[in-house]
Amino acid sequence: MTETSTGNALTGAAAAVSAAADAASGTGTPGWRRAGIAGIAIGVIAAGAAAGVAVERLTVGRGVRKKARLALDATGPYGALRGTPGKAVADDGTLLYYEVDEVDPGAAAPRRRRLFGRRAPAPVTVVFSHGYCLNQDSWHFQRAALRGLVRTVHWDQRSHGRSARGVAQQGPERVPVSIDQLGRDLKAVLDAAAPEGPVVLVGHSMGGMTVMALGEQYPEYVRERVAGVAFIGTSSGRLGEVDYGLPVAGVAAVRRVLPGVLRALGSQAELVERGRRATADLFAGLIKRYSFSSRDVDPAIVRFAERMIESTPIDVVAEFYPAFDEHDKAERLGVFEELPVLVLAGDRDLVTPSAHSEVIADRLPEAELVIVPDAGHLVMLEHPEAVTDRLADLLARAGAVPAAANVGPYGSTAQPG
């Protein structure tokens, strides 16, 4: 597929989206079915996982693709790691699901003798916050690598994964999701899952924004409890300027029609979900383009990402999206200035481009900045060895693990256990 043909396809897609917006506002002639399917395209673009069709999806029969997906679902080990479950309660009553992986006593450093009557210090806890339309399983490789070596907490953001639908986003008095709300959610998880001891905060994409919101609202907590921070493929603001790799005309059309399409999504979620299922092959290609850059990425990993994104209800996609245009925390990053910080991004990330990571690093001059070659938005799945290596170094600098510690396997052989 040439760049010209890809551009033509994207321009055509933009036209279809425009028609959907007209239908949503009642000014166009297409029916709800057309509006719903086009609306899905915007939803997945908003999710950071769509904007082009992989050529193999166009040249392989639908039946073959369906069988391949089923085979990958049955054999892929990704996302099967589980820990001790728990629930935190957000300030609006939303139940937030998390899991804890404790330190394996056999893998820990030898116990030191201590004076009679004194408690051993609480261990460092590493808390992972996932991105938009994903869930805690997106950290599969890093979880497998650190399992038993350090105490970790993995949680699902509100309305994602096993967490409950946001209470404040339901009913006649519902309010939009905000990044600040997610920061308060993270604080509730920290209070429940890591009530004492130092913590290292790791966030990908929306999860990194969540960490920034925590820092802005709870600077005392950061000063007293946070031992290190990792921002993976994220942004401190100005996301409205991202073009997602679309041609200029396509970007303009998408931004023009987005409000109408979002209204359509919010009021016709059931219809849109049916259209989403009917176009599963299309979206598999779109997700791959916006999630990964490498040509040789494991198909089972690609399918794993598809399942996570597909499992996010389209009305959740719609209600979260406006928060990103409002997100602006660049001026608040100073709260992390005295900490060990890792800033990492893929060099071909079309969702939160690496230039946004460079902005974060400019605000935190002592941070380690890592740009991973040939990597897209889901860099922790696409190049797990690079992400885990730099994360292990951060944990050593933060005192969470011994400097000489060896992390576990983080390749395709990482199995449940």
Side-chain angles (χ1 to χ4, degrees), residues 114-134:
R114 53 191 173 88
L115 297 178
F116 178 78
R118 291 189 182 178
R119 293 180 57 196
V124 177
T125 301
V126 186
V127 182
F128 289 83
S129 300
H130 68 78
Y132 184 33
C133 294
L134 301 172

Side-chain angles (χ1 to χ4, degrees), residues 355-379:
H356 286 236
S357 288
E358 292 174 1
V359 169
I360 297 171
D362 286 344
R363 296 278 180 170
L364 300 170
E366 298 303 314
E368 179 187 20
L369 174 64
V370 178
I371 305 299
V372 181
D374 194 24
H377 190 56
L378 299 188
V379 60

Side-chain angles (χ1 to χ4, degrees), residues 35 52 81 224 249 321 366 394:
L81 299 174
E224 294 173 4
Y321 182 70
E366 298 303 314
L394 172 71

Side-chain angles (χ1 to χ4, degrees), residues 41-399:
I42 285 295
V44 181
I45 289 174
V53 180
V55 67
E56 66 269 21
R57 302 285 175 167
L58 303 178
T59 57
V60 179
R62 179 179 297 178
V64 173
R65 293 196 300 271
K66 183 176 180 180
K67 290 180 180 178
R69 287 198 299 270
L70 291 173
L72 291 171
D73 289 346
T75 60
Y78 310 117
L81 299 174
R82 299 269 65 90
T84 302
K87 290 185 179 179
V89 182
D91 57 3
D92 66 349
T94 301
L95 292 179
L96 305 169
Y97 178 85
Y98 64 84
E99 293 180 359
V100 179
D101 290 348
E102 298 288 357
V103 175
D104 178 0
R111 181 183 298 273
R112 293 182 178 180
R113 296 181 62 188
R114 53 191 173 88
L115 297 178
F116 178 78
R118 291 189 182 178
R119 293 180 57 196
V124 177
T125 301
V126 186
V127 182
F128 289 83
S129 300
H130 68 78
Y132 184 33
C133 294
L134 301 172
N135 59 53
Q136 64 176 267
D137 293 339
S138 61
W139 298 107
H140 173 87
F141 290 116
Q142 291 69 43
R143 187 173 189 171
L146 297 173
R147 204 168 175 86
L149 181 64
V150 64
R151 187 175 192 268
T152 60
V153 172
H154 297 78
W155 70 291
D156 293 328
Q157 302 252 23
R158 64 173 51 216
S159 304
H160 290 69
R162 293 174 173 83
S163 284
R165 187 66 181 273
V167 171
Q169 284 71 59
Q170 302 181 66
E173 304 299 323
R174 62 181 178 269
V175 298
V177 179
S178 67
I179 300 299
D180 287 343
Q181 175 65 69
L182 303 184
R184 295 193 295 274
D185 289 353
L186 174 56
K187 180 61 162 56
V189 170
L190 291 167
D191 290 344
E196 57 181 354
V199 297
V200 174
L201 304 176
V202 183
H204 168 250
S205 192
M206 183 177 75
M209 302 173 205
T210 299
V211 172
M212 295 176 198
L214 173 86
E216 179 182 36
Q217 296 174 91
Y218 304 99
E220 299 86 1
Y221 182 90
V222 173
R223 286 191 290 268
E224 294 173 4
R225 297 282 307 280
V226 177
V229 179
F231 295 115
I232 311 295
T234 189
S235 171
S236 60
R238 306 186 73 171
L239 286 166
E241 300 175 6
V242 176
D243 63 15
Y244 300 105
L246 292 167
V248 174
V251 175
V254 166
R255 289 178 177 160
R256 178 174 65 84
V257 306
L258 190 56
V261 172
L262 289 175
R263 286 195 297 271
L265 292 172
S267 62
Q268 297 288 332
E270 183 177 349
L271 175 61
V272 172
E273 288 294 349
R274 288 203 298 270
R276 193 183 192 186
R277 291 191 293 271
T279 55
D281 290 334
L282 170 66
F283 286 102
L286 302 181
I287 289 169
K288 183 177 180 180
R289 171 177 168 81
Y290 263 77
S291 299
F292 305 101
S293 173
S294 308
R295 290 184 176 273
D296 58 350
V297 62
D298 184 347
I301 295 176
V302 176
R303 177 57 189 156
F304 174 45
E306 290 172 17
R307 294 203 312 271
M308 283 190 286
I309 294 170
E310 289 168 357
S311 69
T312 307
I314 203 69
D315 44 351
V316 172
V317 173
E319 70 191 20
F320 269 71
Y321 182 70
F324 300 113
D325 268 347
E326 300 170 2
H327 171 63
D328 183 6
K329 304 296 184 189
E331 299 295 333
R332 306 295 185 179
L333 290 172
V335 69
F336 304 111
E337 194 168 12
E338 302 301 320
L339 299 172
V341 176
L342 168 66
V343 182
L344 183 147
D347 69 337
R348 298 184 182 180
D349 189 336
L350 298 177
V351 181
T352 50
S354 59
H356 286 236
S357 288
E358 292 174 1
V359 169
I360 297 171
D362 286 344
R363 296 278 180 170
L364 300 170
E366 298 303 314
E368 179 187 20
L369 174 64
V370 178
I371 305 299
V372 181
D374 194 24
H377 190 56
L378 299 188
V379 60
M380 68 283 191
L381 291 173
E382 186 174 17
H383 294 287
E385 68 288 347
V387 175
T388 304
D389 177 76
R390 300 325 305 150
L391 185 57
D393 182 75
L394 172 71
L395 297 182
R397 288 189 284 134

